[in-house]
Amino acid sequence: MYTVCLVEDEVSLSNLIKTYLEKEGYEVIQFFKGKDALDYVGNNTNLWILDIMLGDDITGYDIIKEIRKKDELVPVIFTSARDK
């Protein structure tokens, strides 16, 4: 089973994405705060889905910097509500 780490501070959106991924057979680990996701970096993950703008002081950009220090090849998808 593939593991997806989903970092999204909007709970309803995160739950929706999780539901669809699980229907496709993925194990989904949800994080609603950037700090919690940073603490998990380095664990066995097949894909990261990162919201760029999180509610705390940590952004998706901060998280990917830490991910790349530990794993240069794991795929990352960014999501955002930003229009620029």
Side-chain angles (χ1 to χ4, degrees):
M1 180 176 289
Y2 291 102
T3 302
V4 176
C5 287
L6 172 59
V7 186
E8 170 61 63
D9 60 337
E10 188 177 321
V11 175
S12 60
L13 179 57
S14 182
N15 287 336
L16 179 66
I17 294 169
K18 179 182 182 202
T19 297
Y20 280 101
L21 289 170
E22 286 178 338
K23 282 183 180 182
E24 295 300 321
Y26 296 97
E27 176 187 3
V28 179
I29 301 171
Q30 287 177 288
F31 299 100
F32 302 104
K33 296 184 183 241
K35 181 187 179 328
D36 295 335
L38 282 175
D39 291 341
Y40 193 80
V41 169
N43 287 291
N44 188 20
T45 302
N46 300 103
L47 171 68
W48 283 86
I49 301 176
L50 303 175
D51 183 8
I52 293 174
M53 304 297 290
L54 298 167
D56 53 13
D57 291 336
I58 296 170
T59 68
Y61 297 125
D62 298 322
I63 297 168
I64 196 170
K65 287 177 189 174
E66 294 305 312
I67 291 170
R68 289 296 176 235
K69 288 179 185 177
K70 307 234 173 172
D71 188 338
E72 295 179 358
L73 300 177
V74 66
V76 176
I77 296 173
F78 275 110
T79 62
S80 178
R82 291 180 66 176
D83 61 357
K84 294 182 182 181

